[in-house]
Structures are given as C-alpha cells and as structure tokens.
Amino acid sequence: YGAAITISGGKLEMDSVILQHSHSNGIVVRSGQLQSVHKCTFQNIFGVGIFLYGSVGDTTITECHFQECSANAVLTTWYSGALVVAGSEFRESGRYAVQVGGDGPFRVAENTFRTNAGVFACRYNSREPTRMPLPKEKTFVGDNDMRSNAVDRASDDWSRGNLIYVHGCLVHIENNRIEETMKSSSAKNLINVFDAEAHIINNTISQNSGFANTINIGGGVGTFVHLQGNYLENAVQPNEYEVGNEAVGVTVDARRNWWGCANETCILGKVLDFHNGGDGFGVVQTQPALSARDRTEVVPDIEDVDSQVWWSDDFDLDPLHDDEVRYIVETEDLWTADKNVTQSVWIKKNGLLTITLASDAVNGTTIYMAPNTNFHVEGTLQILGSAAMPVRFVRLDPDAPWGSITFASGAAATSGEYSGSYIRYANFEGGGAHMSKQPFNPSRAGMLQVAGADLSVAHTRFLHSTTSGVAVRRGAAATVRFTNCTFAQNRGSGVAYHGSAWVVCSDCAFVSNQQFGVMLTRGYFNVTASVFTHNQPGEVQQFVDNRVSHNEHMAALDCWADTTADVHKLLSLGSGPVVLRANLIAGNHPVARASRQRRRMDLLTGDQVLELSDCLIIDSDGQVTIGSVAAPVQSWEAPPEPFRMEDNVFRDNGFFQVLAEVSGRRALVSRNELIGNEVTDSTALHALPVFELRGGAYDRQPANLTNNHFLGNENTLVAVRLSARTWARWNWFENPFVKYELEFVGDPGLFAGYLNYWGRYGAKDEALVVARLKSSQEGPIPPRWYGNWITRDGTPSLHALADVEAAPAEDGNSIVNLFHGLVLLGFLAALGLLLALFLREPGRPGGRYAALDLEERAARD
C-alpha cells in the first residue's frame, strides 16, 4: 500500500492538484476520509490512482483526469463509504478503470473512458442477504461514454478478459455507449455477470466484435439479470452470440431490446441458452422485441404471469369464427407431404384426417401454420410420424404464432394403439396464439387443447408456445394420456389442466416453462417416471417415480421478514386421494426477486395423502405439509386404510419441517431418515419442530413411530412433536443442537416409548434422558416415555417400562391396589428383559435396530 499520499486519519479535500510519476500508488486511504477530489490530474502512476480501503468516509471524485495508471484508476476494497465518480476522464488504465468492492453505495456517471484495459468491475457489493438492497441511484453506472477501450488482461483469473465485470453485486448499468471495444486473445465476453443482480437498461452496445458473448450470464439460482431497451448491434459471427446464459435454472428477461433485426428466427440465432445449448444453460426471454432502433416503440406485453389463474365457463373453445374461411374435412383426407395451412381446418363429426409420412419419406412431413390458424376436431385426427422424422407443426411466418389444435368433446376417442384420434411422434412449435376474447393469461390456452375428449399422445414435443404447451379442460369421463412427451420453454405451463377428467403423464419431461411444469385446478392427475427441471412452481396431483429438481420460485414480493404471506408452493397435490412413492425432490430453492435472499416455500402439500414412501427429499428449501383424513366408517370391522410414511429420506434441507395431520385413520411412520435439516424459521423458532405428527391414532390403535432416525437437525427447539396416542419403538434421536428430542402435546399417559436411543447416555443417565423430553402438561416425565432406552454402547438400559409409583387408591382398597401395581411392575420388567435378550444379535453388543449406524444400515440395504 505504498503511496505518494497516505491518509490514516482526519479529512482531506483536493482541488486542482496534479499528481504524476508516482512509483507506487497515488493516494491510499486507510482511515479517515478523502472527502472530495475535484479537477485533479493523476498521470503515470505505477499502481492505483486512488485506493480506498476499509471503513473510511465518503468520497466524491469529479472532473478529474486519470491517465496511464498501471493498475486501476479508482479502486475500493471492503469499502463501506459512498463513492461518487462523475464527469471525469479515464485513459490507458492497466486494469479496470473503476473497480468497487465492499458494501458501500456507488455512482459512476457521465464519465469518458478511452483506451483502458477494462472499464468497470464490481466485486461483492450490496448483495449481503442480511441487508436491504441499495436503491438504483446508489448502485448506478450510467450515462458514460465507453468507446474504444480494450478488455482487462491483468486482474485475477476470475475477472480478467472483460470490459465490464459484475460478480456478486447489485448494479444498474444504464444509458451508456459501449462501442468499438478492442478484443484481445484472452477475452471471451464483453460484459460478464456472475452470481449477481444486474439491470442493463437503455444502453447502446454496438460495433464490438470477436466476443463469444456480448453479454454473458453465469452463476447459480441467485443470479438475476434484466435487459431492456438496449441496442445490440455487434458483429456476431458463427458461434458468437449477443447474449449467453450459462446460469442453469436462471431465466433472463431480455424482452424489448433491439437486436439488429426484427425477425424472431434472427433474434433467436443471437442467443445462446437452453433452446440451442442444452441442459448446461438457462433460458433467455426475447419476445416481445423492438422491431426498430426506437426505444419509444410500444410493444405488446403479456399479463402478469404470477397472477392467480382463473377460468371462465364461457371460454371460446371453438377458435373458428363464422366469418372465417375454412378447410373442411367431412370424409377422409390424407396428408403425407409438406403443407402450408393458410386457413383453419375443421374436421367434422364423420371426418378423418391422417397426417403421416410418405412411404418413401426422406425429410419427414412439416405443416407450416399461418398466423392465427387452427385445427378444430369434432371427428378423427391421426398424426403419425417416426422417431427419426416426427411430423412437425411450425410457423409459416417466423414472427407470428399460429393458434391451436382443439379436440372438442365429440371428437373420436383413442381406442387401441392406432385407432380413433391419436398423436404419435410429432413436434408442435411456436403456436398458442391467443384467440379468445377473454383477458390473456398464458395458462388458459395451449398449442394443443383438449375439451372433453379421450386422447392418447406419445413421443411428442411441445415447444415455445406463446401460451401453454397443452391446455386440458372439462370432460367428466375423459382421459388424456401423455407418454414420453417433452414440454419445454412454453410461456405458460407445460400442461395446464382444469376439470374433472383424468390426465396421465408417464416418462415425460417438463423443462423451463415460464409458469408451471403442470398447473392443476380441481382435477385428477397421475404423473409417473417424469422429470421436472427449471420450471416456475406448479401444481400436480399424483406422484410416482418422478424427479423434481433445481426449480426456483422468483418471489414477486421482496419481504425481508420470513412471514407466512410470503410462502410459495412447488408441488400442490390438491384434495383428492394421493399416493406418493419413489420420488426425488432435490435442489429446489425459492429466491426473492430483488434481494436474492433464499426463502422458504411449500415443497409439497396435499390434503389427502394416503402414502408417502421411498421418497428422497434433499438440498431444498421448504416444508412438507400433508393431510390424511378418513371419512367416518359405518362398521368397526372395516377400519380405514392407515396413513403410511415409510422409507423416506429427508436430508440437508433448509427452512424445513415435515407436518402430517392424520384424522380418522391410523398413522404408521417407520424407517424414515431426517438428517441434517435446518428449520431456519426465526419467526416461529419455538413453534416448528423438524417432524410433527398431529393425530394418527384410530379407535384404540395408537400411531406407530418405529425405527426412524432423527439425527443432526438444528435451528429449532423440538425435534419431534406428537399429539395422539402413540407407541414409539426402536427410533434413534440424536440432535445435539436441539433442546428437546421429543415433545408430547396432551395427556402424558397416551405416549409410550421404549428401546429408543436418545443420545450418548449411559444406563444411569436417566436424568439426562428426561431432560431431553418435554410434556405440554405440568408434572414429571413418566418413565413409560423412555423405558429401556438404548445406551451409548448399544445395549438396553433395562429401565422399567411402567411408572414407578402406583396410582393412589380412591376406594380405600389401598393394599389390593398396591399388590396389583407390584405384580404389574414385575411382569413388565420381565417382559422388558425378554425383549432385550430377544433383540440382541449373536456376537454383537446392542439392539438389532437402534445400535446400527447409518453406514451399516445402508450396506445391509
């Protein structure tokens, strides 16, 4: 930190000072304050021109000239003051001319940058989750002239190679001229945003060449980038792009920009994202775009996609209107070649249209749909391609979407593999034009619409719809089946469903849809062996063998308190009977839109869950809330099926809780593992246990808590809470950072626990075991709660199972009551000893279940 001028205290103002030929830094401020630097010149500085380090006061730099600083012209590190750099000129800086780091506000405005090796960099500024984000005027880089510069070549490996570098910051980059940048061999991106929140608005970014991406976005789900009103006119060569999104799971809002062309195909060719790059990329939204180099142009926009979806009974299911010229199919028709559809197609009741491949097909069959054209099916439509050559429905005009294919309630039902109406091996791309007179909502319509018809769809892809991929509505007796289908990058949902029919999805993929993977309203839905990735949160009903991973909810409200009003759903299973089996739910994290703060959400909710088994829920932020309510039975000889929660693993989740409310049926909770989860709910620290079972006893049959592991959970006071007659056996409780391992709410006599492991206690540590248990009622903890606990060496403590003291007599027969109590006590003690001996393994100290550690148990399984 050598410098020509060092400030270690006090305040300094500089006006019209020339500082040149310094063999180290120009000015270094370690403490105190460099209040203002006005009309000063820094020239030939072998180091940094002005270096502000640590907790120093605010600095304003105005109308200064910086030339030939071998490092940065202005550099802040761990800086907590406010920095203003305005009206100054920067030339020939050896690194980023202005680089800020710390949590202080900054404003870099109305400056001129020429021939610098990098213009601006921001590292870890204003993005701490515990702080309110700084407003726009305090994180502003705007109205600067950044022409004819080069990229930084001398900074660290993370940040070099860019003209502008933003890492872990909140920044507004607006109204700058970023042109004629000279690329070097080490450069890859002109502007690089990583794990940051960047608003890049109304900039002219043109005449730059040789960059892989003009703007590159990287990082995790905490990244947020908004591009709007920019002129992007750079010499993009093959394999070069204006915008590249390497942030998997992140959607970049790049609507309302001028891309140098108005054709949507041309624009998409300038974007590298999930569409053309695959699973290693996020999504870039480009439509609607400016059609000319004019920021005042008014472009159509969609309604708020986060608003509640509503449906109308008078929705116009027939997109064909009386004044429309139609292609009518009344008998049989066969299409085996490419075809331009310039008028809507109406297949009447007895009509059959087959769209398939020619016998000598080489390139397949493509149906080019004119803007707003539709198919309306009242008879039979059969679409049959092949795995190598699917039948494709695409836009005739690349800039205008076609409408939809609607199966009305009278359409011929699928019967057998190739009978009735069916779709096999097809691609639907770029349709979904909004035709209804109702207000526009992306999940109200789709490229494929089914209104009460039985239909089977297999090996088909629904891509880039301006609404949803598929919309299913009405039809009490209808069943719609999707097998090996893909729903990707649709503006609405992958499948939007409202009605009382069954929709079945098997081996499907739901990827990067802007609203939901599946949106369900009052219906029946089976999803099996499907994959959900990078969708906004949605609603589905029945889950078997699915993977739900890396979904992110962008909360519209940026509340700092973790309140119940700011909880969002990932999977909502409705009120119908549900079986959940063999699902993977991993890596799902809701993030507030502005602050990027991780939040809690409902990972999984359902009002009538019959079974939750063999599921793996890991590395996600949220809670599991399930209900299981049985109707009253007329005969005690036919009790309702029990609720089963078996063989699940809940590991390394945040904002976590499992709440099961079971009424009118017995609960069987066994062989589950809840390990390393954090409740992390500071507003309800005393209220939320890691696992809570409300109810679960039926008639005189208790709830059963057997052979579960509750290990290493934290950030709450209670690990497990129970509230109905319960037997707990062979469970392993060890949560050192939780005050109580178990709490029982209600009559203490309704709970019995034996052969449980309560921590690293010995046979004589009864007081320590009791201290880990809590009752909602006054009085001592009954010994029946912890009888024969498993000690730290894996053996039972042989502690009595019954209460030590006999109940006081109420009728004067005290001797008889005492005798009965002693007999019962002896019998139960003997029973406990026999159980302990029975459960021992040959050649192994300890119980058969409780003494097994996780690694041994995994090896056995």
Side-chain angles (χ1 to χ4, degrees), residues 376-654:
H376 186 72
V377 183
E378 296 175 357
T380 304
L381 173 61
Q382 298 177 343
I383 301 174
L384 178 61
S386 69
M389 293 182 292
V391 174
R392 298 181 62 208
F393 289 76
V394 301
R395 295 180 179 182
L396 180 61
D397 180 349
D399 293 326
W402 54 277
S404 62
I405 297 176
T406 299
F407 286 83
S409 59
T414 302
S415 56
E417 184 69 14
Y418 298 103
S419 179
S421 295
Y422 60 81
I423 301 174
R424 301 283 186 273
Y425 295 105
N427 285 0
F428 297 91
E429 307 171 34
H434 180 61
M435 303 295 292
S436 172
K437 298 177 183 178
Q438 300 288 347
F440 176 52
N441 188 300
S443 273
R444 189 176 294 116
M447 286 187 291
L448 175 65
Q449 299 186 143
V450 185
D454 283 346
L455 181 66
S456 174
V457 182
H459 308 289
T460 296
R461 301 199 301 168
F462 300 88
L463 310 172
H464 308 117
S465 172
T466 58
T467 49
S468 291
V470 176
V472 180
R473 295 188 297 280
R474 301 177 182 169
T479 300
V480 184
R481 298 180 182 274
F482 298 95
T483 305
N484 291 110
C485 294
T486 298
F487 307 84
Q489 295 186 314
N490 299 292
R491 178 171 291 180
S493 303
V495 175
Y497 173 53
H498 172 80
S500 55
W502 276 97
V503 174
V504 180
C505 286
S506 302
D507 297 295
C508 294
F510 300 85
V511 182
S512 297
N513 297 288
Q514 290 184 27
Q515 277 202 320
F516 312 113
V518 175
M519 195 285 298
L520 171 69
T521 306
R522 297 200 305 271
Y524 303 92
F525 206 107
N526 280 325
V527 182
T528 60
S530 296
V531 176
F532 293 72
T533 57
H534 309 148
N535 302 284
Q536 295 292 326
E539 296 183 280
V540 296
Q541 185 165 29
Q542 193 165 356
F543 252 40
V544 178
D545 192 21
N546 300 288
R547 188 186 81 196
V548 184
S549 62
H550 301 94
N551 296 285
E552 174 187 343
H553 180 50
M554 306 299 294
L557 298 176
D558 192 18
C559 302
W560 288 91
D562 195 8
T563 64
T564 56
D566 196 22
V567 178
H568 305 275
K569 289 180 170 59
L570 179 69
L571 301 172
S572 178
L573 305 178
S575 57
V578 179
V579 172
L580 291 136
R581 188 182 299 126
N583 299 291
L584 169 64
I585 301 175
N588 303 287
H589 302 286
V591 180
R593 188 184 298 276
S595 69
R596 321 303 304 153
Q597 182 185 17
R598 286 172 63 171
R599 316 302 288 272
R600 69 187 177 101
M601 66 177 169
D602 286 327
L603 287 174
L604 174 64
T605 64
D607 297 333
Q608 192 64 291
V609 178
L610 303 180
E611 178 183 336
L612 175 64
S613 62
D614 295 296
C615 292
L616 180 61
I617 300 179
I618 59 174
D619 187 30
S620 296
D621 290 339
Q623 57 197 36
V624 176
T625 305
I626 51 180
S628 187
V629 180
V633 296
Q634 299 300 319
S635 172
W636 296 113
E637 297 178 358
E641 286 294 318
F643 163 72
R644 296 181 180 274
M645 179 177 165
E646 300 172 334
D647 299 295
N648 301 288
V649 175
F650 306 88
R651 185 189 290 266
D652 299 326
N653 299 290

Side-chain angles (χ1 to χ4, degrees), residues 52-88:
L52 307 174
Y53 180 83
S55 300
V56 298
D58 301 345
T59 297
T60 300
I61 302 170
T62 55
E63 299 182 42
C64 292
H65 178 82
F66 295 83
Q67 185 163 353
E68 296 184 69
C69 296
S70 65
N72 311 95
V74 178
L75 172 64
T76 70
T77 302
W78 303 110
Y79 181 57
S80 59
L83 175 67
V84 174
V85 181
S88 298

Side-chain angles (χ1 to χ4, degrees), residues 211-215 236-244 268-273 276:
F211 293 93
N213 300 296
T214 304
I215 301 173
V236 176
Q237 302 300 318
N239 298 318
E240 295 178 353
Y241 304 92
E242 294 283 15
V243 177
L268 291 176
K270 297 185 177 186
V271 170
L272 176 60
D273 70 346
N276 53 355

Side-chain angles (χ1 to χ4, degrees), residues 182-193:
M182 298 172 283
K183 179 187 179 296
S184 71
S185 58
S186 63
K188 182 180 180 182
N189 308 299
L190 182 74
I191 300 173
N192 197 357
V193 179

Side-chain angles (χ1 to χ4, degrees), residues 105-107 126 131-140 170-172 199:
F106 57 86
R107 181 178 178 84
S126 313
R131 302 178 66 255
M132 289 290 291
L134 295 171
K136 168 183 170 180
E137 62 271 12
K138 295 186 178 180
T139 55
F140 184 73
L170 166 63
V171 63
H172 295 77
H199 302 262

